[in-house]
Amino acid sequence: MPSDARLLLLDKNEVEALLLPDDVMQAVREAFVLHSQGEGRVFPVVRELLATGGVFGIKSGDVQAQGLLGFKAAGFWPDNRRLGGEPHQATIMLIDPATGRPVCIIDGNAVTTMRTGAAGGLGLRQLARADSTRLCLFGTGVQARVQLSFALQLLPALCQVRYATADGKPDAAFEAHFAHRCDVSHADDRNVAVSESDVVITATPGGGALFEAESVQPGTHLNCVGADTRGKRELPQGLLERVRLFVDDRAQARQIGETQWAPDTPCTELGDLLTGNAAVDRHPTDITVFDMTGLALQDLTVARLLHQRAGAARVGSSIAWSW
């Protein structure tokens, strides 16, 4: 057995330095396409509640033709906020499919944030009306910020943002972060904000319905990020029955996404739009929803990009990992 095998470790700072939004967008798009073409496999998701109050999950998959194999172990630990830490935690491992040996271990927090933002951006580009000018955002955390950043980048007409917070209070830091890019202000009435918006993005922990179904007007598009576990939801009861539903993975969305609340709702996978296997044919009065549960393939294509870039730049810690 070889005794000179190495394992590359990429920490938070190294990952953040190597991640570029446009490159992540391309890697995430590739993941959707591979999934649609049946070349990339997504294995059953592990997503379980812990006695500590956290949620632990594993997303894994492979692309056999490309020698790409790996997983992300991740979850949500709300008590981390009391410690001054980030509640979302993730670690990605790339594995040599020929031997089963680990090749690279990557801090997955920034990867998860960026690839989810990029997936949301692709959803907006495919499904939202190009002339959308008004957006309602639920949440002001890390994921809400990246979703809004991609939205402002990909919807050029977008100029007005109303946001809602869990405590119903304005978030001055959030407003300052985006004030130079749009007219941003706190929504005093979330139902009114939804009714006046062309795009709605929900990026919360998924603790319950965020607004009333009747507030969603014809022509609205919704990106839903927070429902990623059995029992979570952000959309009100009865809304999915009125919409044209799009998902990243049909089976996964019915298991842990918004679609779990209306599993018989017809849906289309976003990757099929990107490959031309399906068409949107959006009518002006259609309400569209993109139920985002996150694909393992997104983590793997972005992780491979980081592994290659780190090798070229000689970034990271290489440690002996002999057989």
Side-chain angles (χ1 to χ4, degrees), residues 177-200:
H177 186 77
F178 288 102
H180 68 292
R181 300 180 65 180
C182 60
D183 170 15
V184 55
S185 63
H186 181 255
D188 295 325
D189 186 320
R190 53 182 59 195
N191 288 308
V192 171
V194 168
S195 69
E196 295 178 345
S197 295
D198 305 305
V199 174
V200 176

Side-chain angles (χ1 to χ4, degrees), residues 267-281:
C267 61
T268 301
E269 292 187 350
L270 188 73
D272 288 342
L273 301 183
L274 298 174
T275 58
N277 291 334
V280 182
D281 190 25

Side-chain angles (χ1 to χ4, degrees), residues 193-229:
V194 168
S195 69
E196 295 178 345
S197 295
D198 305 305
V199 174
V200 176
I201 299 177
T202 59
T204 75
L210 298 170
F211 49 85
E212 296 176 1
E214 294 73 18
S215 64
V216 181
Q217 300 302 303
T220 305
H221 172 69
L222 300 93
N223 266 8
C224 303
V225 184
D228 58 3
T229 305

Side-chain angles (χ1 to χ4, degrees), residues 116-117 120-121 124 143-151 201 203 223 225 292:
T116 308
L124 292 177
Q143 189 52 233
R145 290 189 180 207
V146 75
Q147 290 291 330
L148 182 53
S149 292
F150 273 100
I201 299 177
N223 266 8
V225 184
M292 302 170 54

Side-chain angles (χ1 to χ4, degrees), residues 44-100:
V45 171
V46 173
R47 192 78 176 172
E48 299 294 339
L49 297 174
L50 303 176
T52 60
V55 179
F56 175 70
I58 296 176
K59 291 181 177 177
S60 58
D62 73 352
V63 183
Q64 296 184 68
Q66 297 183 5
L68 181 60
L69 171 67
F71 66 87
K72 180 176 75 175
F76 186 74
W77 283 264
D79 284 350
N80 283 3
R81 291 194 181 97
R82 293 191 297 104
L83 304 174
E86 167 57 42
H88 292 91
Q89 292 296 316
T91 304
I92 300 170
M93 180 183 289
L94 294 178
I95 297 170
D96 179 359
T99 64

Side-chain angles (χ1 to χ4, degrees), residues 126-148:
Q126 291 293 314
L127 301 170
R129 301 195 327 270
D131 62 351
S132 297
T133 60
R134 299 165 299 178
L135 183 147
C136 178
L137 175 67
F138 287 85
T140 58
V142 172
Q143 189 52 233
R145 290 189 180 207
V146 75
Q147 290 291 330
L148 182 53

